[in-house]
């Protein structure tokens, strides 16, 4: 209850701003409606003009006037100029009206005012509705009022907080999350759809007035640089397209929940289950599943605070598809290694989340679903999934991984044996993006240091930008050559074709392969982990023999290829024990 009260106190000011702006709009429109029957009367302008008020962020203007008129044999004095009272800087209405009134007052010209026949002391000069101002106020109604109202509805409709100290939650912590009460878990697609519409509406409301302001800047002031402002409405159109696509995806495939087996998913065991899709079964359609272990945390401070995600582990496989009650049923099972962090049911400031993504390229709307699922350290195995079905799906994934690895590694034959080449430019996309980001940071640092004289701030920006740029240039311009010569595995690193490092390991001392995540990229909620593969000898020395592999399954495929090309065999614990026994002369060996 305490949390609900705090959130309510936070939401009420936003809701109040929306209500206030809604009242202002309603009052303006009501006044415009009732003034349509007011009588037009000539008036003498006593004074007129506009006042400017300087604020911390911008200046506002307010047109003023004082005029006298006669109605029904009585003389009255009025000062109302327009429907909206107070100053603003929406367009040039206030300045233009003020200048016109000032000119009329100086020349002694008559003006036309509108008088309420039932209350002649009420009058106005301009009874037209300023739709630009109405639109501006509507932004506050929708954004502030909508946010406040939505937050109030969310917090008071939310399930009551659960006591994590109770025994049933200590034994089954995933039950603290209302979405994890059963093995059947819905995707976040519907939430994403409404979120897309909310963000598209917010953006378009914010930028709705820009075309009119740009038109005024270009036609009246010949400020053609203002045309850049049209980019914001164009982005708004793109967001509307995005929201429509999310809606079409939801309508086509429906809820499509995942049913986990085991429940919850298991670290050191299996994460598996079934997904029923509302679409006809087509054996040619390939459904890709990606399982991510993510760390979600808050970065920055103050106004710069934002939530970020870091991918810790990732694996990909092709789901087995078969006819189902709803049309198509998907079956899948991941083998999850030990040592990973479990899901956090309460998801506080910093927590870990397991996310399952389902993706398929189809005619028309593509399938793209995310499921946040419970995965805990239970070491449980799937009980209802056929091993034959799972192995069949894994075999299909292995073929895909082998083909992907074949595109990454160039195999050459030379006089001394086989050579595996990882050429320059293999990380072209992420590297060029990083170089661009680094250049922007470095340019900002130069501007702050040289133009603004802020050397500390500029030095930080410039230093960070330079480091990012140099690192990404290295990723782009380096290459790796791995070969087997006279029983030695040799790895040569080159930069622009020039050797910069050389490592080697004797084939007979090789013990095992080891994979490490070396590069992570993120686009929206989609993560990609790139792995490198190292060869480890019995003394613990290592050399990198492969890199640039997407996901764990692709890294494993690379290990198989490298082992095959160089005739390497990983040494098991039993092999090591046998070798030690042989050295010590243990008569029980074998």
């Amino acid at each position: 209850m305490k949390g609900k009260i705090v959130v309510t106190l936070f939401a009420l000011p936003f809701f109040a701003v929306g209500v206030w702006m809604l009242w202002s709009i309603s009052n303006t429109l009501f006044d415009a409606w009732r003034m349509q029957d007011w009588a037009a009367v000539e008036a003498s302008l006593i004074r007129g003009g506009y006042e400017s008020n300087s604020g911390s962020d911008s200046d506002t203007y307010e047109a003023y006037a004082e005029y006298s008129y006669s109605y029904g044999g009585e003389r009255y004095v009025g000062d109302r100029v327009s429907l909206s009272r107070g100053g603003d800087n929406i367009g040039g209405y206030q300045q233009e009206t003020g200048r016109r009134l000032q000119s009329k007052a100086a020349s002694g010209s008559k003006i036309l005012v509108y008088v309420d026949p039932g209350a002649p002391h009420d009058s106005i000069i301009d009874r037209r509705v300023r739709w630009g101002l109405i639109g501006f106020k509507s932004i506050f109604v929708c954004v502030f009022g909508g946010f406040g109202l939505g937050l109030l509805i969310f917090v008071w409709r939310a399930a009551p907080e659960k006591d994590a100290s109770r025994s049933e939650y200590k034994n089954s912590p995933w039950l603290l999350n209302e979405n994890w009460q059963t093995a059947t878990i819905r995707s976040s697609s519907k939430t994403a759809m409404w979120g897309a519409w909310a963000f598209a509406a917010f953006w378009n409301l914010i930028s709705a007035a820009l075309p009119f302001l740009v038109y005024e800047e270009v036609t009246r002031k010949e400020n053609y640089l203002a045309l850049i402002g049209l980019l914001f409405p164009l982005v708004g159109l793109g967001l509307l397209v995005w929201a429509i696509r999310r809606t079409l995806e939801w309508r086509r495939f429906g809820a499509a929940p995942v049913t986990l087996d085991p429940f919850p998913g298991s670290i050191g065991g299996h994460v598996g289950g079934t997904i029923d899709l509302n679409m006809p079964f087509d054996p040619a359609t390939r459904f890709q599943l990606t399982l991510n272990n993510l760390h979600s945390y808050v970065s920055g401070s103050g106004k710069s605070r934002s939530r970020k995600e870091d991918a810790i582990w990732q694996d990909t496989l092709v789901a087995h598809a078969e006819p189902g009650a709803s049309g198509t049923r998907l079956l899948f099972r991941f083998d999850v290694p030990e040592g990973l962090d479990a899901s956090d049911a309460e998801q506080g400031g910093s927590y870990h989340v397991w996310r399952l993504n389902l993706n398929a390229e189809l005619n028309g709307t593509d399938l793209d679903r995310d499921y946040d699922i419970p995965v805990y350290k239970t070491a449980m195995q799937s009980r209802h999934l056929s091993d034959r079905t799972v192995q069949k799906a894994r075999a299909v994934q292995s073929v895909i991984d082998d083909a992907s690895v074949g595109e990454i590694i160039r195999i050459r034959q030379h006089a001394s044996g086989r050579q595996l080449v990882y050429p320059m430019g293999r990380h072209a996309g992420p590297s060029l993006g990083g170089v661009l980001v680094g250049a922007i940071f470095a340019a900002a640092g130069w501007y702050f240091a040289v133009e603004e004289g802020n050397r500390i701030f500029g030095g930080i920006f410039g230093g960070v930008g330079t480091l990012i740029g140099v690192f990404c240039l290295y990723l782009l311009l380096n290459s790796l050559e791995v070969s087997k010569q006279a029983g030695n595995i040799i790895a040569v690193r080159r930069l622009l074709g020039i050797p910069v490092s050389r490592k080697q390991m004797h084939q007979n001392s090789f013990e095992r392969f080891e994979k490490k995540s070396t590069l992570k990229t993120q686009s929206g909620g989609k993560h990609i982990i790139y792995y490198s593969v190292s060869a480890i000898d019995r003394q613990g020395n290592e050399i990198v023999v492969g890199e640039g592999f997407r996901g764990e399954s692709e890294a494993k495929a690379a290990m198989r290829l490298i082992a095959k090309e160089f005739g390497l065999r990983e040494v098991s614990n039993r092999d090591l024990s046998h070798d030690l026994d042989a050295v010590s002369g243990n008569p029980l060996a074998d």
Side-chain angles (χ1 to χ4, degrees):
M1 180 58 71
K2 182 179 179 181
K4 287 187 175 182
I5 293 175
V6 171
V7 175
T8 299
L9 292 175
F10 175 76
L12 280 176
F14 290 91
F15 181 61
V17 169
V19 171
W20 175 45
M21 285 296 179
L22 181 61
W23 175 85
S24 176
I25 293 172
S26 302
N27 191 54
T28 298
L29 296 177
F30 175 73
D31 281 351
W33 171 74
R34 69 186 182 90
M35 288 178 182
Q36 297 307 306
D37 296 328
W38 285 15
V41 176
E42 277 194 345
S44 299
L45 191 59
I46 301 171
R47 64 188 184 94
Y50 70 89
E51 296 176 343
S52 61
N53 297 291
S54 298
S56 57
D57 296 326
S58 61
D59 296 336
T60 59
Y61 308 92
E62 181 180 2
Y64 65 86
E66 186 179 358
Y67 49 88
S68 62
Y69 58 93
S70 297
Y71 188 84
E74 297 288 337
R75 188 167 183 81
Y76 299 93
V77 175
D79 61 2
R80 187 171 182 181
V81 175
S82 62
L83 289 170
S84 299
R85 301 179 185 273
D88 61 75
N89 55 8
I90 307 301
Y93 174 83
Q94 298 286 1
Q95 300 99 305
E96 291 175 4
T97 302
R99 283 192 288 265
R100 180 170 57 84
L101 292 172
Q102 188 177 37
S103 175
K104 292 281 187 180
S107 64
S109 302
K110 297 286 187 179
I111 62 171
L112 196 65
V113 300
Y114 299 92
V115 179
D116 183 358
H121 59 277
D122 285 339
S123 60
I124 191 170
I125 296 176
D126 186 2
R127 61 181 180 179
R128 294 174 302 170
V129 176
R130 292 176 58 197
W131 293 108
L133 184 59
I134 294 294
F136 179 74
K137 290 182 177 180
S138 297
I139 294 173
F140 286 86
V141 174
C142 297
V143 176
F144 283 78
F147 173 76
L149 179 61
L151 199 57
L152 289 171
I153 293 174
F154 172 79
V155 71
W156 286 103
R157 290 189 61 184
E161 296 181 8
K162 297 181 178 180
D163 185 1
S165 63
R166 294 176 59 177
S167 58
E168 62 263 37
Y169 299 134
K170 287 185 177 180
N171 297 329
S172 304
W174 53 90
L175 296 179
L176 287 167
N177 190 315
E178 283 297 318
N179 298 320
W180 297 345
Q181 300 302 300
T182 68
T184 300
I185 297 170
R186 290 178 173 268
S187 73
S188 59
S189 181
K190 191 173 184 179
T191 303
M193 177 187 71
W194 288 116
W197 278 110
F199 188 65
F202 168 78
W203 186 279
N204 282 283
L205 283 170
I206 291 292
S207 58
L210 274 176
F212 304 100
L213 298 177
V214 168
Y215 175 79
E216 183 177 333
E217 287 289 320
V218 172
T219 57
R220 297 189 179 184
K221 302 179 182 179
E222 297 185 353
N223 179 16
Y224 295 101
L225 190 62
L227 291 171
I228 296 176
L230 294 177
L231 291 175
F232 288 89
L234 290 176
V235 171
L237 292 176
L239 291 173
L240 284 175
V241 172
W242 171 51
I244 291 171
R245 292 182 64 180
R246 296 299 309 181
T247 304
L248 293 175
E249 196 269 354
W250 170 258
R251 289 177 60 86
R252 180 176 182 181
F253 303 109
V258 59
T259 301
L260 295 178
D261 176 22
F263 174 71
S266 173
I267 296 172
H270 293 156
V271 170
T274 59
I275 301 175
D276 288 303
L277 297 175
N278 184 26
M279 60 176 291
F281 172 68
D282 181 358
T285 303
R286 179 186 296 169
F287 298 91
Q288 196 86 26
L289 284 161
T290 303
L291 182 62
N292 294 282
N293 179 217
L294 308 172
H295 176 217
S296 179
Y297 61 97
V298 176
S299 176
S301 60
K303 294 182 179 180
S304 301
R305 287 168 60 89
S306 62
R307 180 161 291 280
K308 296 184 178 181
E309 290 181 342
D310 181 30
I312 307 300
W313 177 87
Q314 183 181 81
D315 197 8
T316 301
L317 58 78
V318 173
H320 171 77
E322 61 184 35
S326 301
T328 301
R329 166 164 284 194
L330 307 180
L331 298 91
F332 67 94
R333 190 179 76 191
F334 290 91
D335 297 320
V336 180
E338 296 180 350
L340 297 172
D341 290 290
S343 303
D344 190 333
E346 296 182 284
Q347 298 185 349
S350 176
Y351 58 89
H352 288 84
V353 60
W354 284 80
R355 183 170 300 148
L356 178 69
N357 174 257
L358 169 62
N359 184 272
E361 295 183 359
L362 306 168
N363 292 327
T365 305
D366 291 338
L367 175 62
D368 185 11
R369 291 293 170 95
D370 284 324
Y371 305 83
D372 285 354
I373 60 175
V375 180
Y376 286 82
K377 299 177 181 180
T378 62
M380 293 175 63
Q381 308 285 318
S382 296
R383 293 186 297 173
H384 306 294
L385 297 177
S386 164
D387 286 338
R388 181 175 177 274
T389 299
V390 171
Q391 293 304 322
K392 183 178 179 181
R394 180 57 74 179
V396 174
Q397 182 63 45
S398 295
V399 172
I400 297 172
D401 292 332
D402 290 341
S404 298
V405 170
E407 294 177 357
I408 296 171
I409 304 176
R410 297 180 183 177
I411 302 176
R412 297 175 181 173
Q413 182 70 40
H414 58 89
S416 57
R418 306 281 269 181
Q419 185 182 56
L420 308 183
V421 179
Y422 303 83
M424 286 192 302
R426 58 194 180 281
H427 301 303
S431 299
L432 291 174
V435 169
L436 178 61
V437 171
I440 293 173
F441 269 76
W446 175 87
Y447 176 81
F448 285 125
V450 177
E451 298 295 328
E452 298 292 332
N454 193 333
R455 295 185 177 181
I456 296 177
F457 201 55
I460 293 173
F461 263 75
V464 171
T466 301
L467 289 175
I468 293 174
V470 169
F471 174 72
C472 291
L473 280 175
Y474 172 78
L475 286 180
L476 182 66
L477 301 177
N478 85 90
S479 62
L480 178 66
E481 298 173 358
V482 184
S483 60
K484 179 181 176 183
Q485 301 177 24
N488 290 314
I489 307 300
I490 301 173
V492 178
R493 177 78 63 182
R494 298 178 183 273
L495 186 61
L496 290 172
I498 303 172
V500 292
S501 71
R502 185 180 188 276
K503 292 184 178 181
Q504 70 179 45
M505 173 188 298
H506 197 277
Q507 178 182 0
N508 293 336
S509 65
F510 169 78
E511 179 182 312
R512 70 184 189 280
F513 287 115
E514 189 175 278
K515 64 182 183 304
K516 295 180 181 178
S517 63
T518 53
L519 180 65
K520 301 174 184 179
T521 62
Q522 180 179 357
S523 176
K526 301 296 184 291
H527 298 262
I528 299 176
I529 301 180
Y530 292 90
Y531 287 94
S532 67
V533 174
S534 297
I536 313 295
D537 66 14
R538 298 184 182 184
Q539 287 73 44
N541 301 314
E542 67 176 89
I543 60 172
V544 176
V545 293
E547 57 189 13
F549 308 113
R550 295 176 52 160
E552 178 154 311
S553 61
E554 200 169 288
K556 290 180 178 178
M559 293 178 187
R560 293 194 298 269
L561 175 65
I562 296 168
K564 176 183 176 182
E565 292 296 330
F566 293 150
L568 301 176
R569 185 175 69 90
E570 292 194 88
V571 180
S572 65
N573 290 335
R574 183 178 183 279
D575 293 333
L576 287 174
S577 298
H578 179 275
D579 291 346
L580 290 173
D581 290 338
V583 171
S584 61
N586 187 345
L588 297 179
D590 286 342

